[in-house]
Coordinates of all heavy atoms in Angstrom, one line a residue:
Chain B
Y1312 N 118.6 113.9 94.5 CA 119.5 114.5 95.5 C 118.7 115.2 96.5 O 118.0 116.2 96.2 CB 120.6 115.4 94.9 CG 121.6 115.8 95.9 CD1 122.7 115.0 96.1 CD2 121.5 117.0 96.6 CE1 123.7 115.3 97.0 CE2 122.5 117.3 97.5 CZ 123.6 116.5 97.7 OH 124.5 116.8 98.7
G1313 N 118.8 114.8 97.8 CA 118.1 115.5 98.9 C 119.0 116.6 99.5 O 120.2 116.3 99.8
Y1314 N 118.4 117.7 99.7 CA 119.1 118.8 100.3 C 118.7 118.9 101.8 O 117.5 119.0 102.1 CB 118.9 120.2 99.6 CG 119.5 120.2 98.2 CD1 118.8 119.6 97.2 CD2 120.7 120.8 98.0 CE1 119.3 119.6 95.9 CE2 121.2 120.8 96.7 CZ 120.6 120.2 95.7 OH 121.1 120.3 94.4
A1315 N 119.6 118.9 102.7 CA 119.3 118.8 104.1 C 118.4 120.0 104.5 O 118.7 121.2 104.3 CB 120.5 118.8 105.0
N1316 N 117.3 119.7 105.1 CA 116.4 120.7 105.7 C 115.9 121.7 104.7 O 115.6 122.8 105.1 CB 117.1 121.4 106.9 CG 117.5 120.4 107.9 OD1 116.8 119.5 108.3 ND2 118.8 120.5 108.4
Q1317 N 115.7 121.3 103.5 CA 115.2 122.2 102.4 C 114.1 121.5 101.6 O 114.4 120.4 101.1 CB 116.4 122.6 101.5 CG 116.0 123.6 100.4 CD 117.1 124.0 99.5 OE1 118.3 123.9 99.9 NE2 116.8 124.4 98.3
W1318 N 113.0 122.1 101.5 CA 112.0 121.6 100.6 C 112.4 121.8 99.1 O 112.7 122.9 98.8 CB 110.6 122.3 100.8 CG 109.9 121.8 102.0 CD1 109.7 122.4 103.2 CD2 109.2 120.5 102.2 NE1 108.9 121.7 104.1 CE2 108.6 120.5 103.5 CE3 109.1 119.4 101.3 CZ2 107.9 119.4 103.9 CZ3 108.4 118.3 101.8 CH2 107.8 118.3 103.1
V1319 N 112.3 120.7 98.4 CA 112.6 120.8 96.9 C 111.5 120.0 96.2 O 111.1 119.0 96.7 CB 114.0 120.2 96.6 CG1 114.2 120.1 95.1 CG2 115.1 121.1 97.2
R1320 N 111.0 120.6 95.1 CA 110.1 119.8 94.3 C 110.9 119.0 93.3 O 111.7 119.6 92.6 CB 109.0 120.7 93.6 CG 107.9 119.8 93.0 CD 106.8 120.6 92.3 NE 105.7 119.8 92.0 CZ 104.7 120.1 91.1 NH1 104.8 121.3 90.5 NH2 103.7 119.3 90.9
Y1321 N 110.6 117.7 93.1 CA 111.3 116.9 92.2 C 110.5 116.5 91.0 O 109.2 116.3 91.1 CB 111.8 115.6 93.0 CG 112.8 115.9 94.0 CD1 112.4 116.3 95.3 CD2 114.1 115.8 93.8 CE1 113.3 116.6 96.3 CE2 115.1 116.1 94.7 CZ 114.7 116.5 96.0 OH 115.6 116.8 96.9
S1322 N 111.1 116.4 89.9 CA 110.4 116.0 88.7 C 111.2 114.9 88.0 O 112.3 115.1 87.6 CB 110.4 117.3 87.7 OG 109.9 116.9 86.5
I1323 N 110.5 113.7 87.9 CA 111.2 112.5 87.4 C 110.4 111.9 86.2 O 109.4 111.3 86.4 CB 111.3 111.5 88.5 CG1 112.1 112.0 89.7 CG2 112.0 110.2 88.0 CD1 112.1 111.1 90.9
P1324 N 110.9 112.2 85.0 CA 110.2 111.5 83.9 C 110.7 110.1 83.8 O 111.9 109.8 84.0 CB 110.7 112.3 82.7 CG 111.9 113.2 83.1 CD 112.0 113.1 84.6
V1325 N 109.7 109.2 83.6 CA 110.0 107.8 83.5 C 109.4 107.2 82.2 O 108.2 107.4 82.0 CB 109.4 107.0 84.7 CG1 109.7 105.5 84.6 CG2 110.0 107.6 86.0
P1326 N 110.2 106.6 81.4 CA 109.6 106.0 80.1 C 108.7 104.9 80.5 O 109.0 104.1 81.4 CB 110.9 105.5 79.4 CG 111.9 105.3 80.4 CD 111.7 106.4 81.5
I1327 N 107.6 104.8 79.7 CA 106.7 103.7 79.9 C 107.4 102.4 79.4 O 107.8 102.4 78.2 CB 105.4 103.9 79.1 CG1 104.7 105.2 79.6 CG2 104.4 102.7 79.3 CD1 104.2 105.3 80.9
P1328 N 107.5 101.4 80.2 CA 108.2 100.2 79.8 C 107.5 99.5 78.6 O 106.3 99.5 78.6 CB 108.3 99.3 81.0 CG 107.1 99.8 81.8 CD 107.0 101.2 81.6
T1329 N 108.2 99.0 77.7 CA 107.7 98.3 76.5 C 107.8 96.8 76.6 O 107.5 96.1 75.6 CB 108.3 98.8 75.3 OG1 109.8 98.6 75.4 CG2 108.1 100.3 75.1
S1330 N 108.2 96.3 77.7 CA 108.3 94.8 77.9 C 107.8 94.5 79.3 O 107.4 95.4 80.1 CB 109.7 94.3 77.7 OG 110.6 94.9 78.6
E1331 N 107.8 93.2 79.6 CA 107.3 92.7 80.9 C 105.8 92.6 80.9 O 105.1 93.3 80.1 CB 107.8 93.5 82.1 CG 107.7 92.9 83.4 CD 108.5 91.6 83.6 OE1 109.3 91.3 82.7 OE2 108.3 90.9 84.6
T1332 N 105.3 91.8 81.8 CA 103.8 91.7 81.9 C 103.3 92.6 83.0 O 103.8 92.5 84.1 CB 103.4 90.2 82.2 OG1 103.9 89.4 81.1 CG2 101.9 90.1 82.3
W1333 N 102.3 93.4 82.7 CA 101.8 94.3 83.7 C 100.3 94.1 83.9 O 99.6 93.8 83.0 CB 102.0 95.8 83.2 CG 103.5 96.1 83.0 CD1 104.2 95.8 81.9 CD2 104.4 96.7 84.0 NE1 105.5 96.2 82.1 CE2 105.6 96.8 83.3 CE3 104.2 97.2 85.2 CZ2 106.7 97.3 84.0 CZ3 105.3 97.7 85.9 CH2 106.6 97.8 85.2
S1334 N 99.9 94.3 85.2 CA 98.5 94.1 85.5 C 97.6 95.3 85.1 O 98.1 96.4 85.2 CB 98.3 93.9 87.0 OG 97.0 94.0 87.4
I1335 N 96.5 95.0 84.5 CA 95.5 96.0 84.3 C 94.2 95.7 85.0 O 93.1 96.2 84.6 CB 95.3 96.3 82.8 CG1 94.9 95.0 82.1 CG2 96.5 96.9 82.1 CD1 94.5 95.2 80.6
N1336 N 94.3 94.9 86.0 CA 93.0 94.5 86.7 C 93.1 95.1 88.1 O 93.9 96.0 88.4 CB 92.8 93.0 86.7 CG 93.9 92.2 87.3 OD1 94.7 92.8 88.2 ND2 94.1 91.0 87.0
Q1337 N 92.5 94.4 89.1 CA 92.4 95.0 90.5 C 93.7 94.7 91.3 O 93.8 95.2 92.4 CB 91.2 94.4 91.2 CG 89.9 94.5 90.6 CD 89.5 93.2 90.0 OE1 90.1 92.7 89.1 NE2 88.3 92.7 90.5
S1338 N 94.6 94.0 90.7 CA 95.8 93.8 91.5 C 96.8 94.9 91.2 O 96.5 95.8 90.5 CB 96.5 92.4 91.1 OG 96.8 92.4 89.7
T1339 N 97.9 94.9 91.9 CA 98.9 96.0 91.8 C 99.4 96.0 90.3 O 99.9 95.0 89.8 CB 100.1 95.7 92.7 OG1 99.6 95.8 94.1 CG2 101.2 96.8 92.5
G1340 N 99.4 97.2 89.7 CA 99.9 97.4 88.4 C 101.3 98.0 88.4 O 102.2 97.6 87.6
L1341 N 101.5 98.9 89.3 CA 102.8 99.6 89.4 C 103.0 100.0 90.9 O 102.1 100.5 91.5 CB 102.9 100.8 88.5 CG 104.1 101.7 88.7 CD1 105.3 101.0 88.0 CD2 103.9 103.1 88.0
R1342 N 104.2 99.8 91.4 CA 104.5 100.3 92.7 C 105.6 101.3 92.7 O 106.5 101.2 91.9 CB 105.0 99.1 93.6 CG 105.3 99.5 95.1 CD 105.5 98.4 96.0 NE 106.4 97.4 95.5 CZ 106.0 96.2 95.0 NH1 104.8 95.9 95.0 NH2 106.9 95.4 94.5
V1343 N 105.4 102.4 93.5 CA 106.3 103.5 93.6 C 106.9 103.5 95.0 O 106.1 103.5 95.9 CB 105.7 104.9 93.3 CG1 106.7 106.0 93.3 CG2 105.0 104.8 91.9
N1344 N 108.2 103.4 95.1 CA 108.9 103.3 96.4 C 109.9 104.4 96.6 O 110.6 104.8 95.7 CB 109.7 102.0 96.4 CG 108.9 100.7 96.0 OD1 108.3 100.1 96.9 ND2 108.8 100.5 94.7
W1345 N 110.0 104.8 97.8 CA 111.1 105.6 98.3 C 112.0 104.6 99.2 O 111.5 104.2 100.2 CB 110.7 106.8 99.1 CG 110.2 107.9 98.3 CD1 110.9 109.1 98.0 CD2 108.9 108.0 97.6 NE1 110.1 109.8 97.1 CE2 108.9 109.2 96.9 CE3 107.8 107.2 97.5 CZ2 107.8 109.6 96.1 CZ3 106.7 107.5 96.7 CH2 106.8 108.8 96.0

Side-chain angles (χ1 to χ4, degrees):
Chain B
Y1312 191 83
Y1314 292 82
N1316 303 314
Q1317 180 181 339
W1318 280 109
V1319 172
R1320 191 182 190 197
Y1321 293 82
S1322 174
I1323 303 174
V1325 179
I1327 304 292
T1329 56
S1330 61
E1331 192 66 7
T1332 300
W1333 299 84
S1334 165
I1335 55 172
N1336 60 23
Q1337 304 104 300
S1338 59
T1339 297
L1341 173 71
R1342 182 170 48 256
V1343 182
N1344 307 266
W1345 281 257

